[in-house]
Structures are given as structure tokens and as C-alpha cells.
């Protein structure tokens, strides 16, 4: 279990992030067209998992925009933005913002992704949602980098995440 803060108040996650050098757990997440995708679908590409509580908050929206801008310059790399938002919210947000370099995926139906990756918040106002995390994977799904953002309202360290590629 990790301890992070929301507005300076401590909150906890259900576990620990996958360890550097380990294989990332597979997942089934909903796409904006209501189809599903898994980690196996991205084999052969480097993957940045940009995980957060909701695209409808300022910091989450900012991280989606920032990774969208940076993704266009990344060779053989996919950026997956993941939350418990409904797929419709992602489709609306990315359409309105003109974002097409990120892939938005939803864990709305079971929350299994958040539980399996040890990043589900277990208490506080956002209990049940994902904490703010960035995980970078190589072409075989091996974890290269993780960041559990200490204060949920803060943005992740984009430069360190990109440097891990």
C-alpha cells in the first residue's frame, strides 16, 4: 500500500506498483468505441501508461494534453491514458481537444486494472478511482519506469518518464 495525498490529506492505495524489471500485468480495458483492448495488443511497441482519476479534472486533462503533444515525436511508442471515466467522456474530451496521439482507455466496468496495478485509492474523497501514476514499458511489456505522484493534484514528471524510453 502506498500513501499519497489529496490536498495535503493522506490517502492510501490498495497495493504497490509493478516493480521495475517485472512484466506488467495484462489488462482488458474499454476503448472509446466500446470495444476492448489488452496489453498484448501493444506488444512490439513501447508503452507509456498515463493513469489518473478523471480526465474531467484540470491536472488529468493537462497530462493528457502534454503526453499527446510529446507522443507525436516518439518512435514506436504508444501513450495510453487510463482512468475509470466512461469511454464516452474520453471520446468527448479528446474530440473537443483535437487529441489524436494518445489512446484513451477506461477501467469503468470492474476497476480490475487499478486493483491489479496496485494504484486504486482505497479511502478519501476519490476512493475507488485510480491514483496518478505513470508506468513506462518496453516492447515486451517489461516495466522500465514507475512514478506514483505523491500529491494527486500534481502533474507527473514527464521528462523522467520519457527519458526511460
Amino acid at each position: 500500500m502506498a500513501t499519497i495525498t489529496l490536498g495535503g490529506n493522506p490517502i492510501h492505495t490498495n497495493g504497490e506498483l509493478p516493480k521495475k524489471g517485472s512484466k506488467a500485468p495484462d489488462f482488458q480495458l474499454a476503448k472509446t468505441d466500446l470495444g476492448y483492448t489488452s496489453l498484448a495488443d501493444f506488444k512490439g511497441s513501447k508503452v507509456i501508461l498515463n493513469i489518473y482519476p478523471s480526465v474531467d479534472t484540470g491536472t488529468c486533462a493537462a497530462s493528457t494534453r502534454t503526453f499527446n503533444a510529446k507522443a507525436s515525436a516518439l518512435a514506436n511508442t504508444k501513450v495510453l491514458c487510463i482512468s475509470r471515466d466512461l469511454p464516452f467522456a474520453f471520446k468527448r474530451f479528446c474530440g473537443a481537444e483535437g487529441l489524436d496521439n494518445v489512446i484513451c482507455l477506461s477501467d469503468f466496468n470492474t476497476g480490475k486494472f487499478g486493483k491489479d496495478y496496485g494504484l486504486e485509492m482505497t479511502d478519501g474523497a476519490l476512493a475507488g478511482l485510480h491514483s496518478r501514476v505513470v508506468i513506462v514499458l518496453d516492447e515486451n511489456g517489461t516495466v522500465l519506469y514507475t512514478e506514483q505522484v505523491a500529491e494527486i493534484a500534481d502533474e507527473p514528471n514527464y521528462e523522467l518518464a520519457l527519458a526511460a524510453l
Side-chain angles (χ1 to χ4, degrees), residues 91-126:
K91 189 171 187 172
R92 173 192 42 78
F93 177 81
C94 289
E97 296 278 333
L99 307 181
D100 56 6
N101 294 322
V102 294
I103 300 166
C104 292
L105 300 172
S106 176
D107 189 23
F108 79 98
N109 55 357
T110 65
K112 185 172 176 356
F113 172 86
K115 291 175 180 66
D116 290 350
Y117 276 71
L119 52 84
E120 178 183 83
M121 291 181 279
T122 59
D123 51 16
L126 301 179

Side-chain angles (χ1 to χ4, degrees), residues 66-87:
T66 299
F67 273 121
N68 183 76
K70 294 182 179 298
S72 63
L74 301 174
N76 192 37
T77 303
K78 306 292 186 200
V79 178
L80 311 182
C81 295
I82 303 168
S83 77
R84 301 236 20 221
D85 286 309
L86 290 174

Side-chain angles (χ1 to χ4, degrees), residues 125-144:
L126 301 179
L129 297 180
H130 299 337
S131 57
R132 187 173 319 287
V133 170
V134 174
I135 300 173
V136 178
L137 309 175
D138 73 6
E139 297 90 335
N140 297 307
T142 301
V143 177
L144 300 174

Side-chain angles (χ1 to χ4, degrees), residues 4-63:
I4 56 177
T5 59
L6 173 62
N9 299 309
I11 55 177
H12 304 93
T13 64
N14 71 310
E16 300 295 328
L17 299 179
K19 300 285 184 217
K20 185 176 176 182
S22 69
K23 288 289 185 185
D26 199 10
F27 55 73
Q28 288 285 323
L29 295 169
K31 301 183 292 184
T32 58
D33 67 2
L34 300 181
Y36 282 84
T37 193
S38 71
L39 181 58
D41 294 331
F42 299 97
K43 185 170 176 59
S45 295
K46 296 174 186 173
V47 177
I48 298 172
L49 304 175
N50 178 35
I51 308 156
Y52 47 71
S54 175
V55 74
D56 286 322
T57 64
T59 306
C60 301
S63 74

